[in-house]
Amino acid sequence: MEIYSQQQLFQAIEQICREGLSSKNKPLRVAINGIEGTGKTYFAEKFSAYLNQQSFEAHHISIDGFHFDSSIRYRQGRDSSQGYYEDSFDELTFVEKVLLASQQDVPQITKATHDLETDEYINLKPETIRFDSIIVTDGAYLFKPNYLPHWDLKIYLQCPFEIAMARGIKRDQAWLGGLQEAEQKFIDRYHAASKIYNQLNQPENQADIIIDNSDFSKLRVIKGF
């Protein structure tokens, strides 16, 4: 199991992306998956920035911009793990407006359809992108059946639940009302939903690349290269 710095890891993944673009001549769709709190958004932001520095046209599109509103998200209860797994994200709209629209004769993407802070749907115009663009998406459930056939590269960030929870609680405590409230939310809803997802979808079996993301300074590649 080889240890990589972030720069070394990004260089290795960049080479895979170059090969993918040359073989399909359409925008490349990269998924960054992992349990809640494992560092997906951080990884996706940093990798997208790295690609842009290498003269790619990279677009970071978080699945968080494709939430349903609260009337749907909480219809099974505010603390329901099943509800979080099933009702949080408008999967079909994301597939339509990003994963499929990016593969058209004139490739386009819509970067969001919902604002989580205001809980309002938004109507952004599609953006036309280059054929050699790379779309980088982070999300907890990206290997579910609705998404799975459409990714060109699937990356899974592995991390123990206890480390991911500590990261998530620190990140979300202000949003969720404090440390204790955030911890309980992870136990009851977020990580309980991640366990449902893992059991039903076996994401590590679906991944092209698996990275142990427990220590940001020492990234271990478990599968992929």
Side-chain angles (χ1 to χ4, degrees), residues 82 85 195-202:
Q82 195 73 36
Y85 173 69
K195 291 173 182 176
I196 294 171
Y197 168 71
N198 288 350
Q199 182 177 10
L200 292 177
N201 299 278
Q202 302 295 311

Side-chain angles (χ1 to χ4, degrees), residues 85-101:
Y85 173 69
E86 294 177 346
D87 300 330
S88 287
F89 302 102
D90 189 348
E91 299 172 16
L92 296 181
T93 294
F94 177 81
V95 169
E96 175 191 350
K97 293 183 177 293
V98 178
L99 299 181
L100 292 178

Side-chain angles (χ1 to χ4, degrees), residues 46-114:
K46 292 295 184 181
F47 183 52
S48 299
Y50 167 84
L51 289 172
N52 283 318
Q53 290 170 358
Q54 308 309 310
S55 300
F56 289 95
E57 182 182 285
H59 301 273
H60 174 221
I61 304 179
S62 176
I63 199 67
D64 283 345
F66 290 82
H67 273 90
F68 282 119
D69 69 12
S70 57
S71 67
I72 297 175
R73 292 202 313 276
Y74 298 136
R75 62 187 173 187
Q76 297 189 58
R78 293 186 68 91
D79 294 324
S80 169
S81 57
Q82 195 73 36
Y84 190 70
Y85 173 69
E86 294 177 346
D87 300 330
S88 287
F89 302 102
D90 189 348
E91 299 172 16
L92 296 181
T93 294
F94 177 81
V95 169
E96 175 191 350
K97 293 183 177 293
V98 178
L99 299 181
L100 292 178
S102 65
Q103 306 302 296
Q104 297 175 147
D105 292 339
V106 179
Q108 295 182 327
I109 53 172
T110 301
K111 290 193 171 179
T113 58
H114 178 264

Side-chain angles (χ1 to χ4, degrees), residues 11-177:
Q11 288 173 344
I13 300 174
E14 175 196 349
Q15 183 58 39
I16 294 173
C17 290
R18 287 186 183 276
E19 294 168 0
L21 285 170
S22 66
S23 67
K24 66 177 294 192
N25 196 32
K26 287 185 178 180
L28 199 74
R29 300 158 298 181
V30 179
I32 312 297
N33 187 224
I35 63 175
E36 297 286 349
T38 199
K40 300 179 298 298
T41 301
Y42 176 82
F43 189 99
E45 289 174 346
K46 292 295 184 181
F47 183 52
S48 299
Y50 167 84
L51 289 172
N52 283 318
Q53 290 170 358
Q54 308 309 310
S55 300
F56 289 95
E57 182 182 285
H59 301 273
H60 174 221
I61 304 179
S62 176
I63 199 67
D64 283 345
F66 290 82
H67 273 90
F68 282 119
D69 69 12
S70 57
S71 67
I72 297 175
R73 292 202 313 276
Y74 298 136
R75 62 187 173 187
Q76 297 189 58
R78 293 186 68 91
D79 294 324
S80 169
S81 57
Q82 195 73 36
Y84 190 70
Y85 173 69
E86 294 177 346
D87 300 330
S88 287
F89 302 102
D90 189 348
E91 299 172 16
L92 296 181
T93 294
F94 177 81
V95 169
E96 175 191 350
K97 293 183 177 293
V98 178
L99 299 181
L100 292 178
S102 65
Q103 306 302 296
Q104 297 175 147
D105 292 339
V106 179
Q108 295 182 327
I109 53 172
T110 301
K111 290 193 171 179
T113 58
H114 178 264
D115 185 324
L116 192 57
E117 289 191 12
T118 63
D119 195 33
E120 294 179 349
Y121 292 110
I122 54 179
N123 188 26
L124 296 181
K125 292 183 178 180
E127 300 178 23
T128 300
I129 61 175
R130 293 179 356 201
F131 280 96
D132 61 349
S133 297
I134 300 175
I135 300 162
V136 182
T137 296
D138 60 284
Y141 308 134
L142 297 184
F143 300 170
K144 288 175 71 173
N146 282 335
Y147 306 112
L148 191 61
H150 306 290
W151 300 116
D152 299 300
L153 181 62
K154 302 182 293 295
I155 300 173
Y156 186 83
L157 302 184
Q158 191 182 81
C159 182
F161 274 96
E162 58 270 20
I163 294 176
M165 183 177 294
R167 291 175 181 170
I169 289 170
K170 182 178 179 180
R171 178 195 66 198
D172 295 343
Q173 58 180 309
W175 172 262
L176 295 174

